[in-house]
Amino acid sequence: MSIITEKTARPAVGAIGADLGTDAVPAAPAQVPRAPSLLRRAGRGLVSVFTRTVAVLTLIAVWEAAPRLGLVDRTFLPPFSEVAVAWWQLLRDGQLGEHTWASLGRSFTGFGLAVAFAVPLGLLIGWYRPLAEFLEPLLEVFRNTAALALLPVFVLLLGIGETSKVSIVLYACTWPILLNTISAVRTVDPTLLRLARSMDLPAPRIFQKVILPASVPTVFTGIRLAGAGAILVLVAAEMVGAKAGLGYLVNASQFNFAIPEMYAGIITISAIGVAFNQLLVAIERRFTSWRTPTGN
């Protein structure tokens, strides 16, 4: 679990004082970045992009060369160029789009429901100790029960249609978000709480101005973990009784021994996972812009 450190949460003190209209903590004067600083940042960004690009291109080159040089059996691991051709053919005939949209619809629905349900519940459990003590045994049981282990139960109860697949994603995404949200509320910097209480603020105001802003980084950690799990759990669920989806595409390609198409589906799943994670990172930066960057 992520813990909000004093160094991380300290910038929020000034934000709290500003929101409350007090002079308890003066805000630091804004500084305009100098041109050399901007150039250094741009240079570091270009170096980072170049490094990542070289790493990906190296992997592709090794993938392409290994089967052609006989290092691996190209029947089971075809060259990357053959996989790329298969991916393009799937895209042109519409199969890739059909399966991708089916998976995205299921995963985003389950993920969105999990966020809407787990974040408020986690804030409530973390804020009210009696409720946390009452629910703790149930939380311990379900957090240690793997979602895929319950897949047969979901199929038996809800059938092999869309409901069971969305439900298994909802279940898998709920626990990372819920547990990180509870931890975020419980680990708020005590200095912030003492500052707010010294102003004689009521509990709802403390929750709004202190607990919520300080909890955002850890809550987003849980949301990012859930976003990664949403795709993986759904792919496994689609391999059981589905007629569309990327999991179905990978499974059907394996049974038909269409190995390039199978790898094309796997690459698509990986690309969606990376893109979704980057989207969540951008949203997190937007909601935590008050934090002071750390590191070089």
Side-chain angles (χ1 to χ4, degrees):
M1 300 296 175
S2 300
I3 298 177
I4 300 179
T5 61
E6 182 178 356
K7 182 178 180 181
T8 304
R10 190 172 297 168
V13 177
I16 294 170
D19 290 340
L20 299 177
T22 64
D23 297 329
V25 180
Q31 297 181 355
V32 179
R34 297 180 178 179
S37 177
L38 294 177
L39 291 176
R40 285 195 296 269
R41 291 181 183 179
R44 287 196 296 266
L46 292 176
V47 170
S48 177
V49 172
F50 176 77
T51 303
R52 296 177 182 180
T53 303
V54 169
V56 173
L57 293 178
T58 301
L59 174 62
I60 293 176
V62 172
W63 186 352
E64 179 72 23
R68 296 187 181 278
L69 296 176
L71 300 178
V72 295
D73 191 343
R74 64 184 301 161
T75 303
F76 303 108
L77 183 64
F80 180 80
S81 57
E82 295 183 10
V83 176
V85 171
W87 186 90
W88 179 249
Q89 291 175 348
L90 289 172
L91 181 65
R92 289 187 59 186
D93 61 22
Q95 292 187 54
L96 187 63
E98 176 186 353
H99 294 302
T100 299
W101 283 115
S103 293
L104 289 179
R106 295 163 181 161
S107 59
F108 284 172
T109 300
F111 175 79
L113 292 174
V115 173
F117 169 74
V119 171
L121 181 60
L123 293 173
L124 187 64
I125 294 174
W127 183 247
Y128 293 103
R129 289 284 181 176
L131 181 61
E133 294 175 357
F134 175 74
L135 294 177
E136 185 174 0
L138 293 177
L139 295 179
E140 289 297 323
V141 170
F142 285 107
R143 69 179 291 186
N144 292 293
T145 304
L148 293 179
L150 295 177
L151 179 57
V153 178
F154 280 94
V155 173
L156 288 174
L157 296 178
L158 303 175
I160 60 174
E162 298 297 313
T163 305
S164 63
K165 294 174 180 57
V166 172
S167 299
I168 194 68
V169 174
L170 169 61
Y171 178 87
C173 294
T174 294
W175 301 108
I177 301 174
L178 180 64
L179 297 175
N180 275 271
T181 303
I182 295 173
S183 176
V185 176
R186 291 181 177 178
T187 56
V188 172
D189 189 353
T191 303
L192 300 178
L193 296 176
R194 287 195 296 268
L195 175 63
R197 292 191 180 107
S198 68
M199 300 176 185
D200 295 328
L201 294 178
R205 188 72 169 173
I206 294 176
F207 184 82
Q208 177 187 2
K209 294 298 183 180
V210 179
I211 300 297
L212 285 180
S215 300
V216 168
T218 308
V219 172
F220 264 97
T221 299
I223 291 176
R224 289 176 60 188
L225 291 173
I231 303 296
L232 300 178
V233 171
L234 177 65
V235 168
E238 288 176 340
M239 292 182 177
V240 180
K243 295 183 178 179
L246 293 173
Y248 168 79
L249 173 63
V250 172
N251 201 37
S253 299
Q254 178 194 11
F255 280 122
N256 295 327
F257 212 72
I259 304 302
E261 287 77 5
M262 182 189 73
Y263 282 106
I266 294 173
I267 290 175
T268 304
I269 294 169
S270 300
I272 292 174
V274 172
F276 191 34
N277 181 72
Q278 292 302 313
L279 175 62
L280 293 177
V281 169
I283 297 175
E284 179 183 3
R285 289 175 179 171
R286 172 64 180 84
F287 281 95
T288 59
S289 57
W290 49 267
R291 299 176 66 188
T292 301
T294 58
N296 295 327

